[in-house]
């Protein structure tokens, strides 16, 4: 049974991006520190065209994150600093001509735009009807495979709040960002039941996987 | 080398107490849910005079929390809803005549009070000079043993911010309280280095232990 899964890096104080996000600092000040563990891995470097890299307890988790993904959902900030209207803004995402998704990607936005076909099997679809519609379309596109919600904080929150997430993996990085985008705010009334199915401690990160239901 | 350690239960969204703390709900609304995993354990029930209880992956963690503790530091809310002045308020803590500490306990307060000797080796000392003084006095009283900071959020934050915590164990409970007392706020500038030394997944809780230094 295909699932909707989230895997996201979070500081110990709960932030997935630091303060003052900008085109220069898309993850906010200090936000890149959340991803150092991943960027050091062979499992990240290889699919992104780089040699070398570490193999450790995180490698399998990174592999899982990328495997069996049939479609991706992401918020507009994750797609880029341009929020539309799109005419005259030739923003095609952060990732160059060949984004690392190799699957349909559904981008939440308030501004309609024609689908954007990139190299390597990635096509960006722009969804203006909210998270439920984006996930429904992604599920359909993914077929037997999983849907991955890439972020950011708001997209993940909305999906959790709507009861549409089956599995949540938090890559907990032991730093304090102090401010920025907090992942798990506003869920006090969401009536979710979580069970931690796995805790893996690795260099510079601890991976906690939760089964989520309502 | 004796250490200053914190072990505290925290919701997945970072709260150690729910909203609307009161004498009736000392841990706020929903806050008791953070401790269900502990209350179910034989390792908790036995020292509190109850029979039965579970033995699972949490048992050793609970044992460590109680062992080798030579002194305790706690915030005023953890001692009780009465914040002083103490004359005419015969509040002697939540725990009855024989509190479960069996050691000197240093209570942060703004109002001086004579030491309060209870049964079973617990004496409450009231410290008006702040967290650094409380920890210094507790270290001296503990001798070769560890100092445990019991909570609440503010006492732990102050101790972390002052660089006085050596080991932090978060008992992460997979619930969302949505509001209340957040443990790890205000630490963005604390310049701490944390390393997760252990992650233990247990029924209804995941124990993450961090070595803390500055």
């Amino acid at each position: 049974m295909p699932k909707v899964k989230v895997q996201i890096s979070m500081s110990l104080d709960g932030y997935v991006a630091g303060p003052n996000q900008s085109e220069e600092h898309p993850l906010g000040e200090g936000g890149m520190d959340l991803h150092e563990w991943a960027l050091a891995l062979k499992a990240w470097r290889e699919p992104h065209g780089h040699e070398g890299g570490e193999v450790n307890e995180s490698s399998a988790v990174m592999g899982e994150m990328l495997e069996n993904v049939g479609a991706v959902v992401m918020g507009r900030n994750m797609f880029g600093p341009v929020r539309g209207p799109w005419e005259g803004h030739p923003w095609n995402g952060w990732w160059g001509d060949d984004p690392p998704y190799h699957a349909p990607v559904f981008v939440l936005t308030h501004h309609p735009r024609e689908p954007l076909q990139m190299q390597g099997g990635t096509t960006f679809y722009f969804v203006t009807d909210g998270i439920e519609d984006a996930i429904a379309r992604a599920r359909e596109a993914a077929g037997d495979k999983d849907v991955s919600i890439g972020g950011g904080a708001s997209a993940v929150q909305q999906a959790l709040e709507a009861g549409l997430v089956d599995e949540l993996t938090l890559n907990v990085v032991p730093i304090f960002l102090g401010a920025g985008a907090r992942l798990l705010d506003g869920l006090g009334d969401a009536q979710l039941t979580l069970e931690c199915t796995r805790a893996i401690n690795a260099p510079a990160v601890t991976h906690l996987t939760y089964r989520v239901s309502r």
Side-chain angles (χ1 to χ4, degrees), chain A:
Chain A
M1 173 105 173
K3 60 194 171 195
V4 176
K5 63 188 185 183
V6 175
Q7 189 186 117
I8 194 162
S9 293
M10 184 178 93
S11 65
L12 196 54
D13 53 351
Y15 296 98
V16 296
N20 303 319
Q21 286 176 268
S22 64
E23 191 161 350
E24 192 191 352
H25 294 291
L27 295 171
E29 291 162 19
M32 272 308 291
D33 295 347
L34 295 173
H35 300 280
E36 279 181 13
W37 67 272
L39 302 183
L41 292 178
K42 182 179 172 71
W44 186 89
R45 296 179 61 82
E46 206 166 67
H48 288 79
H50 304 294
E51 296 197 354
E54 295 172 22
V55 176
N56 62 34
E57 294 85 346
S58 291
S59 301
V61 181
M62 174 66 77
E64 281 172 23
M65 178 179 170
L66 304 171
E67 86 188 359
N68 203 41
V69 172
V72 174
V73 173
M74 67 172 62
R76 57 186 188 181
N77 284 336
M78 194 169 163
F79 181 69
V82 182
R83 297 179 169 201
W86 300 105
E87 294 75 22
H89 285 294
W91 180 263
N92 293 339
W94 301 102
W95 304 277
D97 294 334
D98 183 7
Y101 298 105
H102 314 298
V105 177
F106 295 85
V107 179
L108 296 164
T109 174
H110 291 303
H111 300 279
R113 179 175 175 179
E114 290 299 305
L116 175 64
Q117 189 173 344
M118 310 297 285
Q119 294 173 20
T122 300
T123 299
F124 293 105
Y125 297 91
F126 299 87
V127 181
T128 53
D129 286 338
I131 188 75
E132 304 208 14
D133 187 53
I135 291 177
R137 288 178 64 186
R139 290 192 84 117
E140 198 180 328
D144 292 340
K145 293 188 168 180
D146 296 335
V147 170
S148 169
I149 304 179
S154 171
V156 173
Q157 266 168 36
Q158 290 173 50
L160 283 166
E161 205 172 359
L164 296 173
V165 174
D166 302 306
E167 187 182 284
L168 170 66
T169 295
L170 301 174
N171 306 313
V172 181
V173 177
I175 60 174
F176 299 113
L177 290 178
R182 223 161 194 160
L183 183 66
L184 301 173
D185 269 353
L187 296 169
D189 298 323
Q191 305 286 338
L192 300 174
T193 300
L194 280 82
E195 183 194 355
C196 185
T197 56
R198 196 179 62 177
I200 295 178
N201 196 24
V205 64
T206 307
H207 307 283
L208 304 180
T209 298
Y210 292 91
R211 187 185 299 128
V212 186
S213 58
R214 183 153 72 175

